[in-house]
């Protein structure tokens, strides 16, 4: 039933109470109305958004939302970004749970004990996925782990732990601790270079070749000396996705009697290999593997940023790196570079682990592998050289390059620019040093990259090639310059500081491209 309403008289409208409120209102707000029609009828729509200094006055929430939303519409479509491993799709229920947890400060265990317990459940599930040793009566024998902002923080923590453990042994033996070093591939992701530089550890690089894009186990172990804090092996290299032979490195260390720990960078492969090639030995089943990191926001299927790091046991995480902090009423053991952080991503990870289960992850990773195989076969049929592995021997990605032809007027970078015009982000890279500046393209197959979209990409690659083959070298160069300066974000960027030009990194020294991860 609809209720009846009387029409008030002028006296009733202007009663004393209303008038006093009206006067107070007029005394407090005496500016002209700034938002009376739609968002686009307000004065804000005719003004530039603040860029450098906080504005003096506020704006209505509807205007702020719409102006920022409109600005963000100029970003690319995440589903067409084939450069990144980072998750671009989650179910609405997961998004809702994560949104509801935005206000939770994850570090406050006393206030949010259930969120903390959910992290512990995730660590346990992920540790078991990596065949971590279980707990026992001796608390130091069981595996330990923690969540991180991503694999970069996880790797920093692992390097710190390896360096501290090495230093403690050297000090106990009365030896110098001046020159710690770590052994890794020249194709490592840039976070490894950061860790080595930030924590003053020398890099010993195992160089790729034109035929080999991963470390050679024999060459790796031969670089070991008394100052080696550990060896980095990669379960899915950034460039070609190939799994490095962790078992071969482990077996050589055992055979030679070398007490050198292995850290496995499983940022991408940690949530792929256990489901696609479960018999592959790369994890805690190998005695020299002491720590593993994995990105929850890559094939862990969570929005950025969440990562995980697990140690074989507390023996490999020196206690002097762990702080017991009494914060907001509760003691907590903390080993992080960051302190306060939201609980949303950890809760998102837990949702995926229990929502999908092993069967769900296996189904998704199997589909991704099939799609990657299909794309690889299609590109090979088109005349490209395939650099990545198929059928579970590496990540679900396709790395490929053009066949060497002296009379070709375009290269991989020109083709990448052509695809960019069509909306695709397919990166071109210069490979690691000692590969004679080998160029390549890479397509990452993520959960939302379906077979249908794969066919669209193949069609656009064909179209791009056909167009480039009709152009001369000068025309291609002019087009590339135009696209780079006017169509790509990097070409239009104004935020790069002129002081900071890389000369210290592998990229700065050799021309290798820092790959997107």
């Amino acid at each position: 039933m609809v209720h009846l309403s009387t029409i008030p008289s002028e006296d009733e409208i202007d009663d004393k109470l209303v008038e006093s409120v009206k006067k107070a209102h007029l005394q407090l707000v005496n500016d002209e109305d700034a938002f009376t029609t739609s968002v686009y009828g307000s004065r804000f729509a005719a003004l530039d958004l603040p860029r450098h200094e906080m504005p003096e006055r506020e704006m209505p929430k509807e205007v702020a939302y719409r102006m920022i939303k409109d600005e963000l519409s100029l970003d690319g479509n995440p589903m067409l970004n084939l450069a990144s491993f980072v998750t671009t799709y989650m179910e609405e229920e997961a998004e809702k749970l994560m949104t509801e947890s935005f206000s939770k400060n994850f570090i406050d265990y006393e206030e949010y004990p259930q969120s903390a317990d959910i992290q512990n459940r995730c660590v346990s599930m992920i540790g078991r996925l990596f065949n971590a040793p279980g707990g026992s009566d001796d608390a130091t024998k069981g595996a330990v782990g923690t969540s991180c902002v991503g694999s970069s923080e996880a790797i920093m923590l692992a390097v710190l732990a390896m360096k501290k453990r090495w230093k403690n042994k050297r000090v106990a033996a009365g030896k110098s601790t001046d020159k710690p070093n770590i052994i890794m591939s020249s194709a490592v992701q840039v976070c490894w270079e950061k860790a080595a530089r930030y924590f003053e550890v020398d890099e010993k690089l195992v160089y790729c070749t034109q035929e080999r894009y991963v470390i050679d186990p024999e060459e790796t172990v031969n670089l070991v000396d008394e100052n080696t804090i550990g060896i980095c092996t990669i379960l899915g290299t950034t460039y070609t996705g190939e799994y490095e032979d962790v078992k071969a490195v482990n077996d050589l260390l055992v055979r030679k009697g070398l007490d050198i720990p292995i850290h496995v960078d499983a940022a991408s492969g940690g949530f792929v290999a256990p489901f696609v090639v479960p018999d592959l030995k790369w994890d805690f089943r190998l005695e020299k593997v002491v720590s593993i990191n994995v990105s929850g926001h890559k094939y862990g299927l969570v929005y950025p940023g969440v990562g995980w790091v697990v140690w074989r046991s507390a023996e490999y995480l020196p206690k002097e790196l762990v702080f017991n902090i009494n914060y907001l009423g509760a003691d907590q053991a903390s080993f992080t570079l960051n302190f306060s952080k939201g609980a949303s991503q950890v809760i998102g990870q837990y949702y995926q682990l229990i929502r999908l289960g092993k069967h769900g992850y296996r189904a998704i990773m199997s589909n991704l592998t099939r799609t990657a195989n299909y794309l690889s076969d299609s590109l090979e049929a088109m005349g490209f050289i395939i650099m990545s592995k198929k059928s579970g021997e590496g990540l679900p990605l396709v790395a490929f390059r053009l066949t060497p032809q002296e009379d070709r007027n375009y290269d991989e970078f020109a083709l990448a620019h052509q695809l960019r015009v069509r909306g695709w982000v397919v990166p071109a890279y210069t490979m690691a040093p000692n590969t004679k500046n080998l160029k390549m393209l890479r397509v990452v197959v993520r959960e939302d990259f379906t077979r249908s979209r794969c066919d669209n990409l193949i069609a656009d690659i064909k179209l791009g090639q056909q167009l480039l083959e009709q152009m001369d070298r000068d025309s291609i160069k002019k087009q590339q310059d135009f696209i780079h300066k006017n169509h790509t974000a990097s070409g239009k960027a104004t935020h790069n500081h002129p002081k900071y030009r890389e000369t210290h990194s592998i990229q700065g020294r050799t021309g290798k491209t820092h790959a997107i991860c």
Side-chain angles (χ1 to χ4, degrees), residues 20 75 129-130 153 174 197 216 219 261 311 343 347-348 356 382 405 409 415:
S20 63
D75 277 344
L129 191 64
F130 299 162
E153 183 186 8
R197 180 163 291 269
D216 173 75
E219 184 181 343
W311 286 269
I347 290 168
L356 296 173
M382 292 165 59
Q405 286 183 19
N409 292 326
L415 182 54

Side-chain angles (χ1 to χ4, degrees), residues 51 69 153 248 293 300-301 349 432 456 494:
R51 294 179 181 274
K69 182 179 176 67
E153 183 186 8
N293 70 275
L301 308 180
Q349 183 73 81
N456 292 334
T494 58

Side-chain angles (χ1 to χ4, degrees), residues 60-73:
K61 61 182 184 296
E62 298 88 350
V63 176
Y65 172 80
R66 175 51 61 179
M67 294 293 102
I68 296 172
K69 182 179 176 67
D70 287 355
E71 187 118 329
L72 291 174
S73 70

Side-chain angles (χ1 to χ4, degrees), residues 358-371:
K358 292 179 180 178
H359 181 272
Y361 271 94
R362 191 176 298 114
I364 291 170
M365 300 309 155
S366 297
N367 268 350
L368 299 186
T369 301
R370 292 187 190 101
T371 303

